[in-house]
Amino acid sequence: MKENKKMKKIFLFTSIAALSLTSLTGCIKEIEPQTNYVTVDQAGNAPGSFANFVEAITNTMAGKFVYNASSMQPYDYGYTSFFLMRDVMGQDIACEDTGNEWYTTWYTCGTGLGPLYAVCQYPWTYFYGWIKACNDVLTLAGPEPSPSQYSGVGIAYAMRAMFYMDLARMFAQKSYAMDLNAETVPLVLETTAVGDLSSNPRATNEVMWAQILSDLDKAEQYLADYKRSDKYTPDVSVVYGLKARAYLTMENWAQAEEYAKLAQSGYTMLTEDQYTSRSTGFNTPDGNNSWMFAVRFKSDDPCILNNDADSSWGSQMIVEVSASGCGYASNYGSPKRIDYHLYQTIPDTDFRKKCYVDFAIDEMDEEEAIAALSAYSDAPEGLLTTAAATTSKAVGGLELKFRPAGGEHANQYAAFTVSVPLMRVEEMMLIEAEAAGMQSEGRGISLLTSFAQSRDPEYVYGTHTNDNYGSTRATGFQNEVWWQRRVELWGEGFAMYDIKRLDKGVIRSYAGTNHPAGYRWNYGGYNTNAGNTYPDWMDFCIVGTETDYNAACTNNPTPIMPTSDSEEYVWPN
């Protein structure tokens, strides 16, 4: 559902994120009488407060209404909502032409993404709130933390680096390797003076990524001996993975390869059974050794308890709960489908193809269709119910990568209490392969082939080297890696980042496309905003209240939606 309300001009820029108080419960014994609020220093004196502040860094990453609890918007559920905001801007996710599609504003890529509209506030509210939580921990610990604070400080540095890495890739008009001087977002650190916030310019790529690496260096130091109890907080392996991502973006290939290899230690790839499991497929870190970092939606989360659990990741991505009558993907006509062309390029011998319903089933009668759908789900009739609620009425392309918790098909409150991966060892293996290949192509091809053959034993390198999507920047080898990333990491939030760093165009209009009419755009080489091939709508705008009150902050141009569908692209043989 498109967000067309103009934002109220209220004081919501980075100083609020830097100064607003972290919400804590059960740790404040007394409040000094001269104020009616609690400062970070006061809260820091309460028993157990430091641990609570550390927990506050990650406890709003999933399941909480952070933007507006009273509205319970179906995309106000945390970090993984940004996966979809970004991924639908490309071509690999096809949305429905329906009033129930809550990611329409990002999918249609128009003026609704501009600085005067409410959705522009989402990344600002979320990310600077998370960064503020990291800064609180670092402020409490001070420049010389005690040994008991090392792990908390390390988590704060790691998470701040991750959040700024996301912001830099969302807001910069050119990636680091393309332009060191391209502007990202204003930096707000624990040392930033309040008086500087009203004149705080956007950090350049050079400055921003230096800060990210500095934070990660410190995180690596403080987390060196930390043993975490679960996958929901970062440890040093996650720090290595974040460094691998950073160096990949910076195209420091030697360092990207080194840290991607370090990150893999102790982890193993998902097997076919784990990847395609009907009960545990992409909904829990338990039972596999692939997931490195994750978030989880819990049964007592507001986003699960309220609004029939429709304000949750599961509502958007789990299609197998049609019996519940709830869920935007399963019952309200807005599932996220795999792009038809991408699906067609996956060989039948590649087990990852089993995560998406064959488009040919739409040509079958109901009895045949149910029999065919039994190969995908324990509730095949429900997939027909899901399709019937959509504009297209099709089952083809429905994704079954993200499964309901425990295989639950009737109770959405249980089905949607899932975990979602933020980092997997497979991503690290693909970073290692790309980084190695950019130093020695033969070595990279060997690593990539080994990876690909674990998914498709008949894989032969070279099928996708010409998949350039208008890019003159990516090599044929990188095109091949990019295809593997698109298939392996589909729906996990990497699509837009890869399009921007590789300077790829977008192709939605072609024979057989499943992108709805009106949004079939082929975009490549026409961006007059920044001279890129990738679409300018992938450069997020900064919310207008920031530029109103921060005199030094510039902005990206408001994107303009294409006025008509593109001519059908003809894929090369």
Side-chain angles (χ1 to χ4, degrees):
M1 187 174 293
K2 202 165 185 179
E3 193 61 86
N4 282 323
K5 288 185 178 180
K6 272 200 171 185
M7 295 180 55
K8 294 179 180 178
K9 291 287 185 177
I10 53 179
F11 201 59
L12 283 173
F13 65 117
T14 51
S15 63
I16 297 297
L19 297 174
S20 60
L21 299 175
T22 302
S23 176
L24 299 173
T25 58
C27 70
I28 310 302
K29 279 196 168 183
E30 59 183 31
I31 301 174
E32 293 182 11
Q34 62 265 39
T35 64
N36 62 356
Y37 60 87
V38 183
T39 68
V40 170
D41 287 341
Q42 290 165 350
N45 292 325
S49 62
F50 184 77
N52 288 333
F53 273 91
V54 174
E55 184 181 348
I57 295 173
T58 53
N59 68 7
T60 58
M61 287 186 68
K64 312 295 192 298
F65 294 109
V66 170
Y67 182 78
N68 189 339
S70 62
S71 68
M72 296 186 291
Q73 298 278 34
Y75 43 64
D76 185 8
Y77 54 80
Y79 189 83
T80 57
S81 185
F82 291 94
F83 288 5
L84 301 182
M85 292 177 192
R86 297 191 300 262
D87 283 5
V88 300
M89 288 182 169
Q91 66 264 311
D92 291 351
I93 291 180
C95 293
E96 290 282 335
D97 182 12
T98 169
N100 282 332
E101 178 47 76
W102 281 89
Y103 289 87
T104 292
T105 304
W106 292 273
Y107 187 63
T108 58
C109 310
T111 56
L113 295 173
L116 298 180
Y117 291 83
V119 298
C120 198
Q121 179 71 49
Y122 270 79
W124 228 244
T125 296
Y126 265 100
F127 278 88
Y128 277 102
W130 288 325
I131 288 165
K132 190 260 178 197
C134 297
N135 288 342
D136 285 348
V137 168
L138 298 177
T139 297
L140 285 175
E144 296 184 8
S146 66
S148 66
Q149 295 174 320
Y150 281 1
S151 62
V153 169
I155 289 169
Y157 278 124
M159 296 305 296
R160 188 171 73 177
M162 188 178 88
F163 296 138
Y164 273 125
M165 197 183 307
D166 284 324
L167 287 171
R169 290 180 290 180
M170 288 190 288
F171 285 89
Q173 286 185 281
K174 288 181 181 288
S175 69
Y176 178 96
M178 296 171 69
D179 185 357
L180 290 176
N181 294 315
E183 294 180 320
T184 61
V185 296
L187 274 168
V188 180
L189 308 175
E190 80 280 10
T191 56
T192 302
V194 174
D196 293 337
L197 293 171
S198 61
S199 185
N200 189 17
R202 298 166 67 182
T204 64
N205 267 325
E206 185 173 25
V207 171
M208 175 59 76
W209 290 91
Q211 179 63 51
I212 289 167
L213 289 178
S214 174
D215 280 0
L216 291 175
D217 284 343
K218 293 172 183 175
E220 184 177 353
Q221 171 191 345
Y222 285 114
L223 293 176
D225 299 319
Y226 172 59
K227 305 297 182 185
R228 59 182 175 176
S229 59
D230 55 46
K231 300 290 181 69
Y232 303 111
T233 55
D235 66 358
V236 73
S237 71
V238 175
V239 175
Y240 294 150
L242 291 172
K243 281 192 169 186
R245 288 179 181 174
Y247 285 123
L248 175 74
T249 302
M250 299 169 74
E251 297 189 2
N252 183 331
W253 303 118
Q255 293 286 78
E257 180 183 8
E258 176 185 352
Y259 280 99
K261 289 173 69 173
L262 284 171
Q264 294 172 47
S265 179
Y267 297 99
T268 53
M269 299 176 72
L270 291 169
T271 65
E272 178 177 353
D273 287 344
Q274 292 169 336
Y275 203 108
T276 61
S277 170
R278 297 185 182 188
S279 59
T280 60
F282 285 88
N283 63 29
T284 177
D286 299 333
N288 75 71
N289 199 32
S290 161
W291 289 26
M292 301 171 62
F293 191 28
V295 293
R296 59 181 163 183
F297 291 82
K298 302 184 292 297
S299 60
D300 59 351
D301 280 340
C303 291
I304 297 295
L305 291 176
N306 299 305
N307 197 27
D308 294 325
D310 281 331
S311 303
S312 68
W313 167 266
S315 179
Q316 296 293 331
M317 297 301 285
I318 294 173
V319 299
E320 295 178 278
V321 290
S322 60
S324 73
C326 294
Y328 279 92
S330 57
N331 284 290
Y332 304 157
S334 56
K336 311 297 183 288
R337 302 176 190 268
I338 190 171
D339 172 69
Y340 174 79
H341 175 72
L342 179 60
Y343 175 84
Q344 295 297 336
T345 64
I346 306 174
D348 292 341
T349 49
D350 190 323
F351 71 69
R352 295 171 296 189
K353 196 168 190 175
K354 297 177 181 178
C355 293
Y356 310 97
V357 174
D358 190 344
F359 289 82
I361 295 177
D362 284 312
E363 305 302 319
M364 300 178 183
D365 62 33
E366 183 174 346
E367 184 177 349
E368 291 176 318
I370 290 174
L373 291 170
S374 297
Y376 296 91
S377 174
D378 293 330
E381 296 90 348
L383 298 181
L384 294 180
T385 301
T386 294
T390 67
T391 304
S392 67
K393 310 300 181 187
V395 293
L398 289 177
E399 64 85 12
L400 292 149
K401 177 177 178 178
F402 299 97
R403 300 285 188 164
E408 172 62 48
H409 298 298
N411 180 352
Q412 80 274 15
Y413 297 103
F416 295 166
T417 54
V418 295
S419 298
V420 186
L422 305 184
M423 183 181 291
R424 292 194 286 124
V425 73
E426 289 85 352
E427 179 203 353
M428 296 300 111
M429 297 174 77
L430 288 169
I431 292 176
E432 180 193 4
E434 182 174 349
M438 296 306 288
Q439 300 170 81
S440 167
E441 190 168 282
R443 193 157 54 88
I445 290 172
S446 178
L447 287 168
L448 183 64
T449 300
S450 176
F451 175 93
Q453 287 181 347
S454 73
R455 273 68 182 117
D456 175 9
E458 296 185 19
Y459 170 83
V460 176
Y461 175 84
T463 306
H464 306 286
T465 55
N466 292 324
D467 291 349
N468 64 339
Y469 281 71
S471 174
T472 58
R473 196 165 190 282
T475 67
F477 169 72
Q478 284 179 299
N479 292 338
E480 196 83 20
V481 178
W482 181 50
W483 185 89
Q484 288 292 335
R485 287 177 63 91
R486 291 169 68 193
V487 175
E488 180 69 31
L489 305 173
W490 188 95
E492 296 180 53
F494 297 97
M496 190 190 86
Y497 292 159
D498 283 345
I499 288 171
K500 291 184 73 170
R501 75 179 178 87
L502 297 170
D503 201 19
K504 298 284 188 178
V506 166
I507 299 175
R508 291 182 182 176
S509 179
Y510 53 86
T513 184
N514 60 335
H515 292 273
Y519 312 124
R520 295 172 179 172
W521 309 322
N522 299 336
Y523 196 106
Y526 310 114
N527 185 346
T528 58
N529 170 37
N532 302 320
T533 294
Y534 74 80
D536 56 1
W537 62 70
M538 293 185 179
D539 299 331
F540 279 34
C541 290
I542 292 173
V543 63
T545 46
E546 175 69 19
T547 55
D548 285 349
Y549 294 100
N550 180 354
C553 186
T554 62
N555 211 336
N556 296 331
T558 298
I560 299 175
M561 184 192 307
T563 57
S564 62
D565 288 348
S566 302
E567 292 184 9
E568 289 186 353
Y569 179 79
V570 179
W571 300 102
N573 294 326

